[in-house]
Amino acid sequence: RARYHPTPTTMSSFSGRTELEESRIALAKRPPFRIIAGTGNRQIAEQISEHLEVPLLPCDLGSFNNGETRVKLNESVRGSQVFIVCSPRPHHINDDIMEILLLPDTLRRPSAGAIPAGIPLFPSSRRGPETGGRV
């Protein structure tokens, strides 16, 4: 019978654990859910994160040279429940809505679990007074 002999690639050099054991430990240390903040109203997301003692998920939000919205995750979200906290700003509503639509897609591709979104303020839901009569 052949015996299993740990090799340097399967054993961690410091703890004597295999890579699989190390990855399971890392997953166990991760919080049960994550919070990601959009560019609109990041202060609310930081306050929620601080109150729940869950760090914000690091990501790069911006735009490409041609003006299209860019979302890049800097950490693994596989299997995690990720809460999106983002509210559109009145003067940037189109860009912020695109960001709100792209964030779940960006989270779903690396196999995130549930992805609920919290939108504390939605400025386009307000309507001004009607100037004309009924048609």
Side-chain angles (χ1 to χ4, degrees):
R1 282 186 152 171
R3 296 188 120 184
Y4 172 74
H5 295 287
T7 62
T9 59
T10 60
M11 294 292 289
S12 174
S13 59
F14 297 111
S15 63
R17 297 186 188 108
T18 64
E19 289 177 5
L20 181 61
E21 291 172 332
E22 289 289 337
S23 65
R24 286 184 179 159
I25 290 170
L27 284 174
K29 289 180 181 177
R30 220 170 44 179
F33 63 90
R34 311 297 302 272
I35 299 172
I36 191 168
T39 53
N41 222 339
R42 188 171 174 87
Q43 297 88 4
I44 291 176
E46 289 172 351
Q47 289 174 356
I48 292 170
S49 170
E50 192 175 298
H51 180 74
L52 296 175
E53 297 177 356
V54 174
L56 285 176
L57 184 67
C59 66
D60 295 329
L61 299 168
S63 59
F64 291 109
N65 290 336
N66 63 358
E68 292 183 6
T69 305
R70 175 181 52 88
V71 180
K72 181 184 175 197
L73 299 177
N74 296 334
E75 240 178 65
S76 174
V77 293
R78 184 175 300 274
S80 297
Q81 183 175 8
V82 183
F83 287 91
I84 298 171
V85 179
C86 183
S87 82
R89 299 164 289 178
H91 300 293
H92 302 89
I93 192 154
N94 291 333
D95 295 332
D96 290 344
I97 286 180
M98 277 309 299
E99 188 177 285
I100 290 170
L101 294 174
L102 286 174
L103 276 168
D105 181 60
T106 305
L107 293 166
R108 181 62 65 194
R109 289 176 189 263
S111 302
I115 307 172
I119 303 174
L121 172 68
F122 200 76
S124 69
S125 64
R126 296 187 222 153
R127 289 178 43 180
E130 293 186 24
T131 56
R134 295 178 106 181
V135 179

